[in-house]
Amino acid sequence: MIETCRTVSTTPERVFAVLADGWSYASWVVGAAHIRDVDAGWPAVGTRVHHRVGLWPLHINDQTVVRAVETGKTLELDAQMWPLGAAMIRIWLEPVSATSTRIHMAETLTSGIGRLLPDAVQSLLLRPRNAEALRRLDDIAVHRESR
């Protein structure tokens, strides 16, 4: 798995609140263009975010499914990433202090053409994308109002 980390100036609860808001998915996931629907109960195991990926006008309807969740700590997802296939993504939150959190994001391509890429090539594709996703997640978690 390709792992990327970022330390943010907020609590794990605030970061997880963003992860638990399926409607915010396209705001922090690089490549997700539009949220079409979010299953009731997100992020319970088996629930889905229905999204579009790609640049207009070449949008593809896809979905991301929750594989595992530990509220406030971890979220594991199966994400469709057409045309590369699918990926397994694991996000876990590590408290660093009372006011900071280290976010870990690990991803591996699990099907489709992307699975055939060597790890070094997967890393070249995924690490910058996931670093940007964590920057966006940081911005949202730190600056959005508490709900």
Side-chain angles (χ1 to χ4, degrees), residues 55-131:
L55 301 173
W56 183 88
L58 303 174
H59 285 143
I60 304 295
N61 289 342
D62 263 327
Q63 64 183 2
T64 295
V65 181
V66 177
R67 293 171 46 106
V69 63
E70 187 176 351
T71 302
K73 296 181 181 179
T74 63
L75 184 63
E76 195 170 296
L77 306 168
D78 278 325
Q80 300 300 309
M81 298 174 50
W82 189 93
L84 293 178
M88 197 280 285
I89 301 160
R90 184 170 189 268
I91 301 167
W92 67 101
L93 309 175
E94 174 189 354
V96 176
S97 72
T99 58
S100 65
T101 303
R102 187 154 179 87
I103 308 170
H104 301 263
M105 177 185 270
E107 181 171 8
T108 189
L109 301 174
T110 57
S111 70
I113 207 166
R115 188 177 71 83
L116 303 175
L117 298 172
D119 288 347
V121 175
Q122 285 190 37
S123 180
L124 285 173
L125 294 172
L126 297 176
R127 197 174 305 278
R129 176 182 169 272
N130 290 346

